[in-house]
Amino acid sequence: MGNVENADMAGDQVGLKRKLNLPLLTLYGLGVTVGAGIYVLVGATAARAGIYAPISFLIAAAVVSFTGFTYAELSTRYPVSAGEAAYVRAGLNSKTLTLIVGLLVAASGIVSSAAVSIGAAAYVGEIISLPSVLLTTAIILIVGALAVWGILESVFIAAIFTVIELGGLSLVIYYGISSDPAILTELGNLVPPFEVSVWGGILSASLLAFFAFVGFEDIANVAEEVVEPHKTLPWGIILTLFVATIAYFMVVSVVVLIVPMADLSDSAAPLALIFEKSGNATSGIFHLIAIVATTNGVLIQIIMASRVIYGLAKQQNLPSFLATVHPVTRTPLIATAVIVALVLIFATLLPIDRLAQATSTIVLIVFFLVNLSLIRLKMTNEKPLGNVFVVPIWVPVLGVISSAALLVTGLLPL
């Protein structure tokens, strides 16, 4: 375990700089979490779960919450870039698993960025009539340039975008209810019956809904750029999950009660359907907000993935040139360029639902191993050093069980 700590101190003379406080860190987490899923995947989730899609989001939130608290402890034990790799290295003592987990985390960021960039292009395409491939490519390149600008600058922009996208979700809720107040009396219809066919669709949709929560774990991978990480990281994770869960349930409930299911399940820009009948400026404003939200998700996932590659190289698990930090921007320039190139490739090869499900599957495997690592650490009875956020052992145990259950559910032909 000392090796992990030493890895944090080793590396290039030019290192990352601590500039992120709790508000910026929470907005960073919310930016990728909210922008990644809710603006893009409500339709795909509703196609599987129907009107019960909000329940799928609650199930996904429950799965994520256990792992969220596991991350809260591990991120304070080992506040380093490529956090998951460091956790597995300490808990499972396997160099091979360490590299695999690190690469899986980076892959999740790459695939997720590709998925969300397609969603962003769909929203842009509602305003600018250009081929979707061209729009997707332009978005990825512009966002990649922002990612290498600097951590404070890029996260500050992401924080502004996050405030805007949360405002967009509030607009969906407000406009949906005000346009049809009767939906408040229909909330009871969201409670599913105890039927195998219904719950099969709900559980299958939960794997997609899980994608909407992917992002909180990105917080752990900017640990080397966080002010007072032992205090800031746990609260950033907890606040991100709490706010996202409430926002998701409210938004999805309004959408499934207002928008015809046939229209919703076929849309790559599902939340915009709430405003289609308005005939006023609201629809245009929301499209701009949705573009900001989805672009923000791409930005933060690229930042995360580049830090993972940087961290793996710094821990000597990847070639050292990937740990190069630019002396002016203080960002991992080469690692970021590699990530942007891979995002471009995936975004032009696969459709959004396959990218989303692939991301969910990758992240669930990582969550399983991270929870298992904390269990092993706790079973050694070794007390953590310093000011560490500590959770009881049943938290990672439930994290292992719930992650495995959702992963198996996603692989079954429900």
Side-chain angles (χ1 to χ4, degrees):
M1 284 173 285
N3 291 337
V4 176
E5 292 169 359
N6 292 338
D8 187 34
M9 301 300 294
D12 301 290
Q13 292 182 344
V14 178
L16 304 178
K17 193 168 184 178
R18 298 192 183 279
K19 290 187 176 183
L20 304 181
N21 56 21
L22 179 58
L24 280 176
L25 186 66
T26 304
L27 288 171
Y28 172 88
L30 282 171
V32 66
T33 305
V34 174
I38 198 70
Y39 277 85
V40 176
L41 284 174
V42 176
T45 306
R48 298 189 182 190
I51 196 173
Y52 307 117
I55 306 302
S56 296
F57 279 86
L58 290 182
I59 291 172
V63 171
V64 167
S65 64
F66 298 120
T67 301
F69 280 100
T70 292
Y71 269 83
E73 175 166 339
L74 287 170
S75 65
T76 55
R77 281 178 180 252
Y78 313 108
V80 296
S81 298
E84 291 92 342
Y87 310 156
V88 170
R89 181 177 176 182
L92 303 181
N93 194 29
S94 169
K95 188 171 183 179
T96 300
L97 274 180
T98 297
L99 179 58
I100 290 172
V101 166
L103 292 176
L104 283 174
V105 173
S108 73
I110 293 165
V111 178
S112 175
S113 293
V116 182
S117 65
I118 294 172
Y123 280 109
V124 174
E126 297 283 336
I127 299 174
I128 303 174
S129 181
L130 287 174
S132 59
V133 173
L134 181 60
L135 291 174
T136 301
T137 301
I139 289 168
I140 293 170
L141 291 177
I142 292 169
V143 166
L146 287 174
V148 300
W149 185 12
I151 187 63
L152 181 60
E153 292 80 5
S154 55
V155 172
F156 182 73
I157 291 172
I160 294 173
F161 283 5
T162 300
V163 172
I164 294 172
E165 67 192 57
L166 290 174
L169 296 184
S170 300
L171 192 62
V172 170
I173 296 168
Y174 170 77
Y175 188 82
I177 294 175
S178 62
S179 65
D180 187 6
I183 67 169
L184 294 175
T185 65
E186 300 176 14
L187 292 177
N189 296 334
L190 301 178
V191 180
F194 291 99
E195 298 176 7
V196 174
S197 60
V198 171
W199 279 95
I202 291 171
L203 292 174
S204 177
S206 294
L207 188 65
L208 281 179
F210 176 84
F211 176 80
F213 289 92
V214 170
F216 81 88
E217 77 282 1
D218 291 5
I219 291 174
N221 289 303
V222 293
E224 293 183 34
E225 293 157 290
V226 174
V227 177
E228 296 185 300
H230 292 86
K231 295 180 180 179
T232 308
L233 287 168
W235 278 109
I237 292 170
I238 292 167
L239 287 173
T240 294
L241 290 177
F242 179 74
V243 174
T245 300
I246 293 175
Y248 286 176
F249 182 77
M250 293 177 66
V251 168
V252 179
S253 296
V254 168
V255 172
V256 298
L257 290 173
I258 293 266
V259 179
M261 197 57 60
D263 296 339
L264 182 60
S265 60
D266 291 334
S267 177
L271 300 192
L273 298 175
I274 286 283
F275 304 96
E276 279 193 352
K277 297 179 182 179
S278 64
N280 56 35
T282 307
S283 179
I285 293 171
F286 180 78
H287 271 94
L288 292 175
I289 294 173
I291 291 168
V292 167
T294 48
T295 302
N296 194 28
V298 179
L299 171 61
I300 298 177
Q301 287 285 27
I302 287 176
I303 292 172
M304 179 278 290
S306 65
R307 268 51 177 189
V308 172
I309 296 299
Y310 159 84
L312 287 172
K314 188 177 177 184
Q315 295 169 27
Q316 300 180 340
N317 291 309
L318 287 177
S320 59
F321 73 88
L322 292 170
T324 302
V325 174
H326 194 277
V328 176
T329 64
R330 300 290 288 271
T331 56
L333 190 61
I334 297 175
T336 303
V338 169
I339 295 301
V340 169
L342 291 172
V343 172
L344 274 170
I345 293 170
F346 278 92
T348 55
L349 289 180
L350 295 173
I352 188 170
D353 57 341
R354 289 184 61 187
L355 289 167
Q357 185 151 352
T359 303
S360 297
T361 301
I362 292 169
V363 173
L364 281 168
I365 294 170
V366 172
F367 283 2
F368 177 87
L369 292 171
V370 166
N371 280 295
L372 189 61
S373 298
L374 183 56
I375 293 171
R376 288 287 302 274
L377 285 169
K378 287 182 174 295
M379 289 178 66
T380 64
N381 294 319
E382 180 178 339
K383 296 190 179 298
L385 301 175
N387 184 18
V388 173
F389 182 93
V390 178
V391 299
I393 193 170
W394 58 262
V395 170
V397 168
L398 289 177
V400 163
I401 294 171
S402 58
S403 296
L406 191 55
L407 182 60
V408 171
T409 299
L411 298 176
L412 294 176
L414 296 175

